[in-house]
Amino acid sequence: LLGLPYDEKIDMWSLGCILFELHTGNPLFSGSSEKDQMFKITEVLGMPPDEMLALGRKSKTCFKKTKDTAWERDLSSPPVIPEKTEKSKKKEFGGYAALGGLPLTDHFDAVRKRRDGEVGHKAENYAEFEDLLLQLLQIDPKRRISPKAALEHKFLRRAGGVYQGDGASAAGSSAAAPPPTHGPQSRHHFSSHRPQGGRASA
């Protein structure tokens, strides 16, 4: 969105967005254009770092420098809304929340209330989930969590494949299902230490 080069760290950002949507059923950033999307990001995460804005080829599409050389959102002109979303123009042009004015915790309220009391939905579980998402959605890719660190995050630590963040355990979770003893797969031996997916183990 800022016109900066990117690498595999963008996948960690994507993972954060996917985890949020899987949990809430709604996209975290649902912009109708690049400018609208960028402003929606700032509502949750605040401003991108100055050094990123200084290097971005498209930074001035969404941001401008003030007299004291600080960057701020350029709200002087509304974002371009595609014709297919013309009906939503009034809502989209109605203004944006303050920088960081819509924290992740606000987005969890409906789900938290609906599933209150269920395993994995305690306050400490949401605190851990939010902490992981904020590290995945770190705007500066240099500070974004790595795949290895994400797998070691307390929210994703599991015992026997079952999340143990709230101290709960599942019967029979200590033993994995045995491999099939018949059919073509019985001829192959898979090591339990083999990484599950190359990128996650990078």
Side-chain angles (χ1 to χ4, degrees), residues 164-180:
Q164 298 294 299
D166 59 359
S169 61
S173 63
S174 59

Side-chain angles (χ1 to χ4, degrees), residues 2 4 38 47-60 62-65 70-72:
L2 295 177
L4 289 166
M38 191 70 247
M47 287 284 290
D50 286 352
E51 56 267 28
M52 291 181 65
L53 292 173
L55 295 173
R57 294 182 293 101
K58 299 164 65 176
S59 296
K60 292 184 177 179
C62 305
F63 304 96
K64 62 181 179 181
K65 276 193 171 185
W71 289 88
E72 64 179 25

Side-chain angles (χ1 to χ4, degrees), residues 13 15-21 23-24 26-29 40-46 98-112 125-138:
W13 173 279
L15 176 60
C17 294
I18 290 170
L19 288 177
F20 177 91
E21 187 165 351
H23 182 65
T24 65
N26 298 305
L28 178 56
F29 308 119
K40 279 180 164 54
I41 291 173
T42 64
E43 288 181 315
V44 177
L45 303 173
L99 297 172
L102 296 177
L104 287 174
T105 49
D106 289 359
H107 296 273
F108 295 148
D109 284 345
V111 178
R112 184 188 291 120
N125 303 137
Y126 277 96
E128 292 172 1
F129 186 40
E130 180 180 9
D131 181 73
L132 175 60
L133 287 183
L134 287 175
Q135 294 188 60
L136 290 168
L137 297 172
Q138 169 60 241

Side-chain angles (χ1 to χ4, degrees), residues 40-190:
K40 279 180 164 54
I41 291 173
T42 64
E43 288 181 315
V44 177
L45 303 173
M47 287 284 290
D50 286 352
E51 56 267 28
M52 291 181 65
L53 292 173
L55 295 173
R57 294 182 293 101
K58 299 164 65 176
S59 296
K60 292 184 177 179
T61 302
C62 305
F63 304 96
K64 62 181 179 181
K65 276 193 171 185
T66 59
K67 292 181 180 179
D68 60 357
T69 71
W71 289 88
E72 64 179 25
R73 291 181 294 187
D74 185 2
L75 301 172
S76 59
S77 59
V80 177
I81 307 297
E83 290 183 7
K84 63 180 181 180
T85 60
E86 194 72 20
K87 292 182 180 179
S88 66
K89 181 178 292 189
K90 183 177 181 180
K91 186 178 77 170
E92 298 294 345
F93 288 4
Y96 294 90
L99 297 172
L102 296 177
L104 287 174
T105 49
D106 289 359
H107 296 273
F108 295 148
D109 284 345
V111 178
R112 184 188 291 120
K113 292 176 181 177
R114 186 170 68 250
R115 306 191 66 175
D116 185 41
E118 295 183 24
V119 173
H121 289 269
K122 295 181 179 180
E124 56 266 33
N125 303 137
Y126 277 96
E128 292 172 1
F129 186 40
E130 180 180 9
D131 181 73
L132 175 60
L133 287 183
L134 287 175
Q135 294 188 60
L136 290 168
L137 297 172
Q138 169 60 241
I139 293 180
D140 186 349
K142 297 191 297 294
R143 299 177 59 192
R144 197 171 299 152
I145 193 171
S146 68
K148 184 177 185 297
L151 289 172
E152 294 172 352
H153 191 278
K154 54 188 175 182
F155 181 76
L156 294 181
R157 284 205 302 262
R158 294 172 178 268
V162 178
Y163 174 57
Q164 298 294 299
D166 59 359
S169 61
S173 63
S174 59
T181 57
H182 56 81
Q185 286 190 335
S186 64
R187 304 191 192 100
H188 303 282
H189 300 282
F190 298 97

